[in-house]
């Protein structure tokens, strides 16, 4: 009986630790996305799908769905990183499109 | 020593980021821009470009001509005329804010304002007028302001576009910023304004022909069947940005002011044909 109680307690504790870790990971991913999106905005090249993914991440985080929040935030960060690369490369490349 | 200098010069030439920027020359740009389209579409006369996508399909052109028998923008022009003639609470009116009473001046916009160092579109000038007389600015995209600009533009019908880039560093910088915006790819779809309206002009995007950038501003404000009302050039900029999945700039932003400045300057000499109608 004691052994059973120990197993249940360990399981509950484990779930709690996993839940807390999920929350921390989601928060870290959201912060990472926010930082990248700030750079993209400063370069005047924010993408609408990045905004949508970030909003989805925040909503999932608020609803306690940390796995979804982390996944959406990582998507937002990846989109923001791509927009930053686009903006920086276009600083040079736009001139190639000018009729001469 | 000579070898070292040669190496430096060679490296600077090879590395695009290190190459000195080309000197701005709006007049040369204009010649090259209009020449590009005239070479690509040799049968089109310069003034035909104001007809936009209807140069490329006899069927679309016929439908458009039929639409113009009862111009869908005429209500906006009438409403704009009424609003334009209405006195402000302080007794002044729009006419008092503009040269020649605001009649037949649309072809001169956008203008560079030497006092503020900013580009002023006709819509922004209308709002500046309102604010000078204690009224709130209107939306720069549609509604009453679009109606007023539609009316003012109608009084310039046929007049050649005459946008001036004064010999002022700030004006040249604004023009260059607009040019860079026009040719820079943005958004998740990686399109620039030029992708559709220079490189793909005259080609189809789904069921519609893409209007050449040359002459594209001449018909604004425009009644779009898609919108179901009249909208300004800024409204179109916002729509294009969203289509390529890019967050649009603010309607009165420097980005859109400068873009309008560059784009309208590229149509210098073409007649005003606004307000217009598009699908």
């Amino acid at each position: 009986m004691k052994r059973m109680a120990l197993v249940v307690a360990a399981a509950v504790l484990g779930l709690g630790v996993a839940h807390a870790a999920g929350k921390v990971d989601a928060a870290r991913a959201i912060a990472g996305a926010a930082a990248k999106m700030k750079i993209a905005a400063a370069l005047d090249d924010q993408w609408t799908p990045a905004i949508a993914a970030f909003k989805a991440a925040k909503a999932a985080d608020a609803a306690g769905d940390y796995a979804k929040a982390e996944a959406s935030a990582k998507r937002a960060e990846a989109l923001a990183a791509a927009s930053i690369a686009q903006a920086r490369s276009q600083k040079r490349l736009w001139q190639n499109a000018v009729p001469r | 020593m000579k070898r070292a200098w040669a190496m430096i010069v060679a490296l600077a030439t090879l590395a695009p980021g290190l190459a000195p920027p080309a000197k701005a020359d709006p007049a040369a740009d204009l010649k090259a821009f209009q020449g590009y389209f005239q070479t690509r579409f040799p049968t089109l006369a310069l003034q035909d470009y104001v007809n936009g996508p209807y140069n490329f399909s006899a069927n679309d052109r016929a439908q458009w001509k039929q639409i113009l028998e009862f111009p869908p923008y005429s209500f906006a022009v009438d409403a704009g005329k009424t609003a334009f003639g209405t006195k402000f609470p302080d007794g002044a009116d729009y006419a008092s804010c503009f040269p020649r009473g605001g009649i037949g001046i649309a072809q001169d916009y956008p203008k560079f304002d030497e006092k503020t160092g900013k580009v002023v579109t006709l819509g922004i000038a209308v709002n500046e007028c309102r604010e000078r007389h204690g009224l709130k600015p209107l939306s720069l995209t549609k509604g009453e302001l679009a109606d007023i600009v539609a009316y003012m533009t109608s009084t310039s019908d046929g007049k050649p576009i005459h946008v001036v880039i004064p010999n002022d560093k700030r004006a040249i910088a604004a023009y260059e910023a607009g040019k860079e915006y026009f040719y820079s790819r943005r958004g998740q779809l990686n399109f620039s304004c030029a992708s559709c309206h220079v490189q793909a002009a005259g080609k189809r995007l789904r069921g519609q022909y893409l209007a050449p950038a040359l002459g594209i501003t001449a018909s604004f404000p425009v009644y779009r069947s898609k919108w179901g009302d009249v909208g300004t050039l800024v409204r179109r900029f916002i729509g294009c940005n969203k289509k390529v999945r890019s967050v649009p700039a603010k309607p009165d932003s420097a980005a859109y002011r400068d873009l309008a400045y560059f784009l309208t300057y590229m149509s210098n000499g073409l007649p005003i044909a606004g307000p217009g109608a598009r699908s």
Side-chain angles (χ1 to χ4, degrees), chain B residues 49 63 69 107 111 124 184-185 194 206 223 261 264:
Chain B
Y49 283 89
Q63 289 181 47
E69 285 177 18
Q107 71 281 1
K111 278 184 175 182
I124 287 171
S184 294
R185 291 175 180 268
R206 292 186 174 173
Y223 179 95
Y261 196 36
T264 313

Side-chain angles (χ1 to χ4, degrees), chain B residues 188-209:
Chain B
Q188 191 186 23
L189 300 189
N190 201 32
F191 273 56
S192 67
C193 308
S195 301
C196 287
H197 299 292
V198 176
Q199 287 106 21
K203 293 181 180 170
R204 292 181 85 122
L205 185 65
R206 292 186 174 173
Q208 293 183 323
Y209 284 91

Side-chain angles (χ1 to χ4, degrees), chain A:
Chain A
M1 194 63 183
K2 258 187 191 171
R3 192 178 289 170
M4 191 65 179
L6 269 170
V7 169
V8 170
V12 170
L13 194 66
L15 278 174
V17 169
H19 183 76
K23 191 174 180 178
V24 169
D25 289 345
R28 191 180 295 135
I30 287 171
K36 276 275 190 298
M37 289 171 69
K38 198 174 171 186
I39 298 170
L43 291 166
D44 289 330
D45 196 6
Q46 192 78 270
W47 292 358
T48 49
I51 302 271
F54 190 72
K55 277 185 184 167
K58 296 278 276 183
D61 188 58
D65 187 347
Y66 301 120
K68 188 179 174 188
E70 187 182 0
S72 294
K74 282 185 172 171
R75 177 170 164 74
E77 184 177 354
L79 288 165
S83 74
I84 291 165
Q86 179 190 56
R88 287 183 176 154
S89 65
Q90 285 300 308
K91 283 280 168 206
R92 251 178 327 110
L93 295 176
W94 70 269
Q95 300 195 39
N96 296 341
V98 180
R100 294 174 209 282

Side-chain angles (χ1 to χ4, degrees), chain A residues 44, chain B residues 177-178 181 237 249-250 252-260:
Chain A
D44 289 330
Chain B
Y181 191 101
F237 288 162
K250 289 186 176 162
D252 67 342
S253 62
Y256 284 162
R257 289 173 190 239
D258 297 346
L259 177 60

Side-chain angles (χ1 to χ4, degrees), chain B residues 7 44 90 120 226-228 230 233 243 251 261:
Chain B
M7 286 283 282
L44 278 185
D90 67 0
V120 178
K226 183 187 170 184
W227 293 338
V230 168
L233 186 60
K243 267 189 178 174
Y261 196 36

Side-chain angles (χ1 to χ4, degrees), chain B residues 22 24 54 63-64 80 187 239 254 273 275:
Chain B
Y54 305 116
Q63 289 181 47
W64 175 61

Side-chain angles (χ1 to χ4, degrees), chain B:
Chain B
M1 189 63 183
K2 264 187 183 174
R3 199 178 274 178
W5 271 112
M7 286 283 282
I8 290 166
V9 169
L11 278 172
T13 311
L14 285 171
L18 296 175
K23 199 182 170 199
D25 188 347
D29 289 349
L30 178 69
K31 195 176 170 191
F33 190 86
Q34 297 194 351
Y36 167 84
F37 284 105
Q38 287 177 299
T39 304
R40 216 171 126 194
F41 305 112
T43 58
L44 278 185
L46 203 54
Q47 67 269 20
D48 289 340
Y49 283 89
V50 301
N51 300 327
Y54 305 116
N55 286 310
F56 305 103
S57 161
N59 190 27
D60 288 1
R61 191 180 179 89
Q63 289 181 47
W64 175 61
K65 289 273 185 194
Q66 282 189 334
I67 288 170
L68 291 182
E69 285 177 18
F70 298 97
Y73 49 76
S74 58
F75 296 107
V77 173
D78 289 347
K81 187 177 182 180
T82 302
F84 186 84
T86 305
K87 297 270 184 202
F88 299 143
D90 67 0
D93 57 12
Y94 287 110
S96 66
C97 294
F98 293 96
R100 300 200 292 280
I103 303 302
I105 61 162
Q107 71 281 1
D108 299 329
Y109 284 85
K111 278 184 175 182
F112 181 75
D113 183 346
E114 289 177 1
K115 283 182 193 160
T116 62
K118 288 181 180 176
V119 171
V120 178
T121 63
L122 188 54
I124 287 171
V126 165
N127 267 346
E128 286 179 351
C129 175
R130 291 177 61 83
E131 287 178 291
R132 271 201 299 279
H133 293 284
L135 294 173
K136 284 184 179 174
L138 299 166
S139 162
L140 281 169
T141 58
K142 57 183 176 180
E144 190 176 336
L145 183 129
D147 293 348
I148 292 167
V149 176
Y151 165 65
M152 292 176 78
T153 303
S154 74
T155 68
S156 283
D157 192 27
K159 290 181 186 284
I161 295 170
H162 180 64
V163 173
V164 176
I165 317 280
N167 190 18
D168 179 312
K169 277 183 185 173
R170 299 165 303 167
I172 302 283
Y175 166 84
E176 283 292 308
K179 181 178 165 186
E180 181 176 340
Y181 191 101
F182 181 79
Y183 290 107
S184 294
R185 291 175 180 268
R186 65 190 68 248
Q188 191 186 23
L189 300 189
N190 201 32
F191 273 56
S192 67
C193 308
S195 301
C196 287
H197 299 292
V198 176
Q199 287 106 21
K203 293 181 180 170
R204 292 181 85 122
L205 185 65
R206 292 186 174 173
Q208 293 183 323
Y209 284 91
L210 290 161
L214 177 58
I216 203 166
T217 62
S219 297
F220 279 87
V222 74
Y223 179 95
R224 284 195 78 201
S225 305
K226 183 187 170 184
W227 293 338
D229 65 359
V230 168
T232 62
L233 186 60
V234 165
R235 186 175 179 184
R236 197 69 192 93
F237 288 162
I238 291 170
C240 283
N241 276 160
K242 285 182 179 171
K243 267 189 178 174
V244 301
R245 300 184 189 166
S246 174
V247 174
K250 289 186 176 162
D252 67 342
S253 62
Y256 284 162
R257 289 173 190 239
D258 297 346
L259 177 60
Y261 196 36
F262 164 76
L263 193 53
T264 313
Y265 178 80
M266 286 297 109
S267 292
N268 261 2
L270 272 68
I272 290 280
R278 296 288 184 268
S279 55

